[in-house]
Amino acid sequence: MFVFDERLADLVLAYCRERLSLDPVPLDYGGYDTSFSELLEGLLGPSGNDPQKVLDLFTERLATAVISHDSPRFLSFIPAAPTKAALLFDMVVSCSSLNGTSWLLSAGAVAAENQALGVIAELAGLPAEAGGTFVSGSSAANLSALLVARDTAWVHGHASPGRTRIALSGEAHSSVTKAIHILGAEPLVVPTADHHLTGGALAAALDADDDPSSVVAVVATAGTTNAGIVDDLATVTAVAHERGLWCHVDAAYGGGALFSERARRRFAGIGAADSIAIDPHKWLFAPYDCAALLYRDPSLAKAAHTQDAAYLAALHTAPRVPGMPPAGGKGGGEDPWNPTDYAFGLSRRSRGLPLWFSLAVHGTEPYRDAVDAVLATARAAAELIDETPHTTLVRAPELSIVLFRRNGWSRARYDAWSAQLLADQVALVVPTTWEGKPVARLAMLHPETTLDVVKEILDSMA
Ligand SMILES: *Cc1c(COP(=O)(O)O)cnc(C)c1O
């Protein structure tokens, strides 16, 4: 029924080839004023359409109404800059229907994903036994990790599962607040010192609290999304462990900077975390959707996340067939390593493989160089802003997010300017808020974002 069609394959592959070779990727426009109902009317019905026509509709009318996250002029939210090798291998993952749920069915794919996780774990300084899985994004990673923290609280000496609280700072990502809500837990918001969560502030908050034993975990952020600020991980992990708390580090955006020797100093202490979330689909140059979730002690995660069902028992207890290799762990060992045991969700795409392939093809050095290049551009952008008479740097960037003011502008001025900047295809820069006031925000992670683009942006504010 759905037989292989050479022409359809050629059409789609030709488009993929063309999209991959765009240099630079055009920024394009989003969906602010566009309506698609007429365009899409009647397209999906009992009988199909000519593939060429459908593809043209997509490439000419739909794809152009998507702002390209991978354009070097996309400087808002968190951009994307996947390597071509990773993008191409993502197609292989799709074309092979790679399902990386279990060792029993997909040992080869799982071993390769675990090798990629191992590179990240080593950069972070986690012990060799650390492991985990790739999930769809750090929202899913944060939720999965905090579920383990909650369910294993007794390991850390919390006897009463009655009330569960999780400490975090006001700068933690919205997905962390959401995860706490989903888990039926309550937040304990710890005040920050110059926007950084510190161990001292955590200890003081626990000391001042009338129910500290209900606090089972703390979330530190290694690269806040709004400002790229790295919490004081060394003191937070130390205090967390003194007080028997699980320490989760949300390094969704900032984790890529572990590749930079210079930036890595800011992450001192991350290796002592109980769990870490890092989005390769952000600063590790992988395609969507890919988040690395790592646990210091994966057995705790396995106890919390393993799904039990009659038909799944075979995944956990596969007998050894004489003459066949053992059911290996992360890439050896005896216990089957099932990625599905380390996060919520069962079926999973082998979404770590594009990163694995790209790391294998390129080696880690270009990753280090790309991250260093982005960090250097962010520092240069900050200097330029400082020297420009009509702008004021809000603070020196710790990583690659630069906040600054156009002197004298209201929020409405920023909004109007931002819309015009996109209309002119100069850049996507949307304003944010800092200490209650509107500011402009440049989120950099594309290695090809140049200082010239920043100059164009600053000139447009004159
Ligand atoms: C992006 C981000 C998240 C959410 O990650 P998704 O991959 O979008 O789900 C969580 N925390 C931080 C710090 C982030 O930057």
Side-chain angles (χ1 to χ4, degrees), residues 81 83-85 123 256 259-260 283-285 355 357-375 445-448:
T83 69
K84 311 296 178 198
L123 274 179
F259 267 101
S260 161
W283 210 356
L284 284 180
F285 313 114
L355 172 67
F357 182 75
S358 183
L359 282 169
V361 166
H362 293 298
T364 54
E365 275 176 15
Y367 281 76
R368 178 199 63 198
D369 295 347
V371 169
D372 274 329
V374 171
L375 288 164
L445 65 69
H446 200 304
E448 275 144 44

Side-chain angles (χ1 to χ4, degrees), residues 137-139 142 173 175 221 223 225 250 252-253 279 281-282:
S138 280
S139 302
N142 289 338
H173 191 262
S175 63
T221 310
T225 321
D250 176 2
Y253 143 68
D279 271 342
H281 68 212
K282 289 178 177 167

Side-chain angles (χ1 to χ4, degrees), residues 77-78 135-142 171-176 219-226 229 248 250-254 277-282 288-291 401 441:
F77 309 101
I78 298 289
V135 294
S136 61
S138 280
S139 302
N142 289 338
E171 320 264 332
H173 191 262
S174 47
S175 63
V176 174
V219 179
T221 310
T224 60
T225 321
N226 200 32
I229 288 171
H248 175 66
D250 176 2
Y253 143 68
I278 297 182
D279 271 342
H281 68 212
K282 289 178 177 167
Y288 300 113
D289 47 8
C290 183
I401 293 175
R441 171 177 175 273

Side-chain angles (χ1 to χ4, degrees), residues 146-375:
L146 291 177
L147 181 135
V148 180
R150 184 195 66 183
D151 288 4
T152 59
W154 56 269
V155 174
H156 297 281
H158 296 270
S160 145
R163 181 184 186 210
T164 303
R165 288 192 300 162
I166 294 172
L168 75 171
S169 89
E171 320 264 332
H173 191 262
S174 47
S175 63
V176 174
T177 322
K178 203 48 113 186
I180 291 171
H181 176 65
I182 294 170
L183 292 170
E186 295 166 44
L188 170 65
V189 179
V190 179
T192 51
D194 187 32
H195 302 276
H196 298 81
L197 178 65
T198 65
L202 173 63
L206 292 168
D207 289 342
D209 195 80
D210 54 13
D211 186 16
S213 70
S214 64
V215 181
V216 299
V218 59
V219 179
T221 310
T224 60
T225 321
N226 200 32
I229 288 171
V230 183
D231 285 340
D232 190 354
L233 304 176
T235 61
V236 173
T237 49
V239 169
H241 292 153
E242 253 165 57
R243 306 296 180 104
L245 308 187
W246 180 283
C247 184
H248 175 66
V249 175
D250 176 2
Y253 143 68
L258 288 168
F259 267 101
S260 161
E261 240 151 77
R262 178 173 167 155
R264 202 182 310 151
R265 280 176 284 146
R266 292 196 186 274
F267 294 76
I270 192 170
D274 296 289
S275 51
I276 303 177
I278 297 182
D279 271 342
H281 68 212
K282 289 178 177 167
W283 210 356
L284 284 180
F285 313 114
Y288 300 113
D289 47 8
C290 183
L293 170 58
L294 286 160
Y295 300 93
R296 155 176 301 279
D297 179 353
S299 70
L300 297 174
K302 188 173 174 181
H305 281 296
T306 298
Q307 293 195 26
D308 288 317
Y311 80 104
L312 292 176
L315 298 184
H316 301 288
T317 56
R320 272 200 66 183
V321 179
M324 290 285 282
K330 271 189 286 172
E334 286 292 324
D335 262 354
W337 183 276
N338 298 320
T340 184
D341 290 343
Y342 301 95
F344 73 86
L346 184 61
S347 299
R348 60 179 295 280
R349 188 169 198 272
S350 296
R351 57 169 66 84
L353 286 182
L355 172 67
W356 169 81
F357 182 75
S358 183
L359 282 169
V361 166
H362 293 298
T364 54
E365 275 176 15
Y367 281 76
R368 178 199 63 198
D369 295 347
V371 169
D372 274 329
V374 171
L375 288 164

Side-chain angles (χ1 to χ4, degrees), residues 372-382 402 444 446-447 449-452 454:
D372 274 329
V374 171
L375 288 164
T377 309
R379 283 194 301 273
V402 186
M444 302 187 173
H446 200 304
T449 300
T450 60
L451 203 57
D452 285 338
V454 179

